[in-house]
Amino acid sequence: MKTNELLEQPIAAEPIERAGYKLTKLGWLPEEWEVVRVNDVARMGTGHTPDKKVDGHYNGGIKWVSLQDSHRLDKRYIDQTTIEISEAGIRNSSAVMHPANTVILLRDAGVGKSALLAEPMAVSQHFIAWVCGPVVDPEFLYYSLQRQKPYFEQQANGSTIKTLGMPFFERLEIALPTIDEQQEIVRRLIAWDASIDEQARLIATKTDYKRGLMQQLLTGRRRFAEFEGLPLNIEKLRPYLREITERNKAGKASRILSVTNSRGFIDQRDQFEREVASEDRSNYKVVRRGQFGYNPSRINVGSIDLLERFENGILSPLYIIFETAAERLNAHYLRHFFGTDSFQQQMKHLVQGSVRDSLPFDGMCEIKLFIPSLKEQGCIAAVLTACDRELDLLRAQLAQLQEQKKGLMQVLLTGQVRINKTTTS
């Protein structure tokens, strides 16, 4: 059965009432469901880190899941690891080989992330591992743990690194239907995951396409037909930029902004749920729509943007603000250039500082860029902006699918909504 067909199958919803349901410590559940300790239906184990000072403990071909693999978790199955250990490493430590389909969960430094082992692997001491018995489907346990991730994060302790101890997991309970219903629930959630993965792959493909297009258009290696054969002008930015040093002396601008590497200009209240600026803001710099702002000590991670969302705002005195000579350099064209490998490579040679690399305005002015006619700049910027809008739409659709999956897990894994088996046969 195709994924789309499975997603479109109806779900028979049953309202949670006393009839047919029972009140348990986990809330209202179907009468035939049980509340069980995970340790009563699965064998719990942990992991270990072989001594790194002993030769022969590593690079032995045995996949070993460590904190460096946290980005691979929550993807259902983990089939690759950053580090491998050896048989000697296992023999001389408490590390053990866990079989395929073992459910693992990170209990600190990213607490609550989970996955299933695609093949026999070992894990570090940062993980809990469960080998499921006959009454619980491994994928059902995985989804049950994934649904509870916010709860695990809430219960974790620690000031620097949040962690959950073994006693917590020894007491951990889940709601458990029959094995047949578990597998029907898993089928539905796997189908939803397939749609999420397909959307993520589409975003990755479109992102790679845009990156390649940027490299070609913003360097002059690829040009629109009407501009073919025109000179390839590579110039420094200095004649095209003007630094802005206006201060908030009059206090007229009140919106405190920051520039992030993922969202660009943001209102500080959106990021921190409060303003983290000092009370005296008269020395803050005023930035206006159409101007650029960047933190010279964080530009290496992409913290630079063109202000478009707000009419104006203020930035910490640490920021550098500048604008383009509009009659010679299209601001949107320049904004796209800041996302290229060419900009990153040039910047690395221009940053200054003994403790933290920093790019002053003079350094920014030394950056070289392909600067065609204003008309060609506009055409290039329009194409790349269209790519951005398409990617924004795809990302919004992905976020919607992810939120829908959370809701689906909530109702299916608690029995609030039951799957009509006559439609899934």
Side-chain angles (χ1 to χ4, degrees):
M1 180 174 292
K2 295 181 180 179
T3 299
N4 288 342
E5 293 176 354
L6 184 56
L7 287 172
E8 291 169 0
Q9 290 180 41
I11 293 178
E14 296 179 7
I16 295 182
E17 300 173 350
R18 299 301 186 269
Y21 284 79
K22 59 186 177 184
L23 185 59
T24 73
K25 62 179 71 176
L26 298 183
W28 286 96
L29 295 175
E31 287 181 343
E32 64 270 29
W33 286 34
E34 297 180 64
V35 175
V36 300
R37 286 196 317 163
V38 176
N39 280 7
D40 289 339
V41 295
R43 187 178 76 252
M44 185 173 76
T46 58
H48 193 76
T49 299
D51 193 338
K52 297 179 180 179
K53 298 178 182 179
V54 177
D55 291 339
H57 280 184
Y58 288 82
N59 301 316
I62 296 175
K63 293 177 180 178
W64 180 69
V65 187
S66 67
L67 287 179
Q68 294 186 49
D69 299 305
S70 61
H71 65 286
R72 294 187 168 99
L73 303 178
D74 288 340
K75 296 295 184 184
R76 204 154 132 259
Y77 277 92
I78 182 169
D79 57 2
Q80 297 293 329
T81 62
T82 305
I83 301 172
E84 294 182 349
I85 61 175
S86 66
E87 292 184 2
I90 290 182
R91 285 197 307 270
N92 298 326
S93 74
S94 300
V96 297
M97 289 293 290
H98 299 288
N101 290 315
T102 295
V103 183
I104 64 171
L105 182 140
L106 189 57
R107 65 188 186 94
D108 54 24
V111 62
K113 288 188 172 184
S114 53
L116 294 110
L117 300 184
E119 60 186 80
M121 298 183 194
V123 301
S124 75
Q125 70 272 18
H126 301 285
F127 290 86
I128 303 290
W130 286 281
V131 178
C132 293
V135 299
V136 60
D137 183 284
E139 290 178 307
F140 181 86
L141 177 57
Y142 159 72
Y143 282 118
S144 294
L145 296 174
Q146 194 179 58
R147 184 183 73 85
Q148 296 189 68
K149 186 174 181 291
Y151 171 67
F152 297 147
E153 292 172 337
Q154 183 184 39
Q155 296 299 310
N157 298 309
S159 57
T160 304
I161 298 177
K162 299 290 186 179
T163 186
L164 282 172
M166 294 293 288
F168 174 88
F169 292 104
E170 289 170 353
R171 299 189 300 268
L172 183 64
E173 295 179 318
I174 61 170
L176 195 70
T178 65
I179 192 72
D180 287 342
E181 190 166 359
Q182 290 176 48
Q183 291 170 350
E184 292 293 344
I185 291 171
V186 165
R187 285 183 66 205
R188 191 62 61 95
L189 294 175
I190 287 175
W192 209 264
D193 273 343
S195 292
I196 290 174
D197 291 344
E198 183 179 350
Q199 187 75 6
R201 284 192 296 270
L202 179 58
I203 291 171
T205 299
K206 295 288 186 179
T207 300
D208 287 343
Y209 172 77
K210 186 212 167 188
R211 185 178 295 115
L213 196 59
M214 288 169 62
Q215 290 299 120
Q216 292 180 318
L217 293 176
L218 295 168
T219 58
R221 291 201 297 266
R222 179 176 176 181
R223 307 184 76 165
F224 298 106
E226 64 181 294
F227 305 111
E228 285 286 355
L230 294 179
L232 190 65
N233 297 319
I234 308 294
E235 301 181 55
K236 289 183 179 180
L237 284 173
R238 186 174 299 279
Y240 298 90
L241 305 183
R242 182 170 72 91
E243 186 174 11
I244 305 298
T245 58
E246 180 185 358
R247 303 285 174 163
N248 191 37
K249 297 295 184 182
K252 292 183 178 180
S254 59
R255 189 188 302 276
I256 304 170
L257 304 176
S258 295
V259 183
T260 68
N261 60 353
S262 58
R263 297 164 58 195
F265 271 104
I266 62 166
D267 190 321
Q268 276 194 5
R269 290 168 296 187
D270 295 338
Q271 183 177 27
F272 303 109
E273 297 183 355
R274 62 185 178 89
E275 294 179 347
V276 296
S278 62
E279 291 186 11
D280 182 7
R281 301 163 188 173
S282 61
N283 200 38
Y284 273 55
K285 293 181 178 178
V286 177
V287 58
R288 302 184 185 281
R289 189 190 301 275
Q291 295 175 345
F292 289 87
Y294 74 93
N295 184 331
S297 297
R298 285 189 53 80
I299 193 171
N300 61 316
V301 295
S303 295
I304 182 171
D305 194 24
L306 173 69
L307 182 60
E308 297 181 279
R309 180 180 171 193
F310 309 110
E311 189 62 35
N312 59 56
I314 55 176
L315 288 166
S316 162
L318 296 174
Y319 278 83
I320 291 173
I321 300 168
F322 66 89
E323 64 185 11
T324 64
E327 72 282 359
R328 302 177 66 196
L329 181 58
N330 184 304
H332 292 91
Y333 178 84
L334 182 60
R335 180 179 67 83
H336 287 298
F337 171 72
F338 289 142
T340 64
D341 292 339
S342 174
F343 172 69
Q344 289 292 325
Q345 292 302 318
Q346 292 187 66
M347 181 183 61
K348 289 178 182 178
H349 297 293
L350 294 167
V351 292
Q352 304 171 2
S354 56
V355 177
R356 175 178 287 186
D357 290 338
S358 180
L359 183 70
F361 181 67
D362 280 345
M364 175 67 73
C365 289
E366 290 297 305
I367 297 288
K368 293 181 180 179
L369 169 63
F370 165 56
I371 302 181
S373 68
L374 205 59
K375 182 179 180 182
E376 187 172 358
Q377 291 177 41
C379 291
I380 293 171
V383 168
L384 297 177
T385 298
C387 290
D388 283 340
R389 287 173 180 162
E390 182 181 12
L391 281 167
D392 287 343
L393 176 60
L394 293 174
R395 293 187 186 108
Q397 291 170 343
L398 175 61
Q400 185 178 37
L401 283 171
Q402 291 168 333
E403 283 302 309
Q404 289 172 343
K405 179 194 168 185
K406 290 179 183 178
L408 193 62
M409 287 197 299
Q410 176 64 27
V411 297
L412 292 183
L413 294 169
T414 60
Q416 295 176 39
V417 169
R418 311 293 296 278
I419 295 177
N420 185 343
K421 295 183 181 180
T422 63
T423 67
T424 59
S425 60

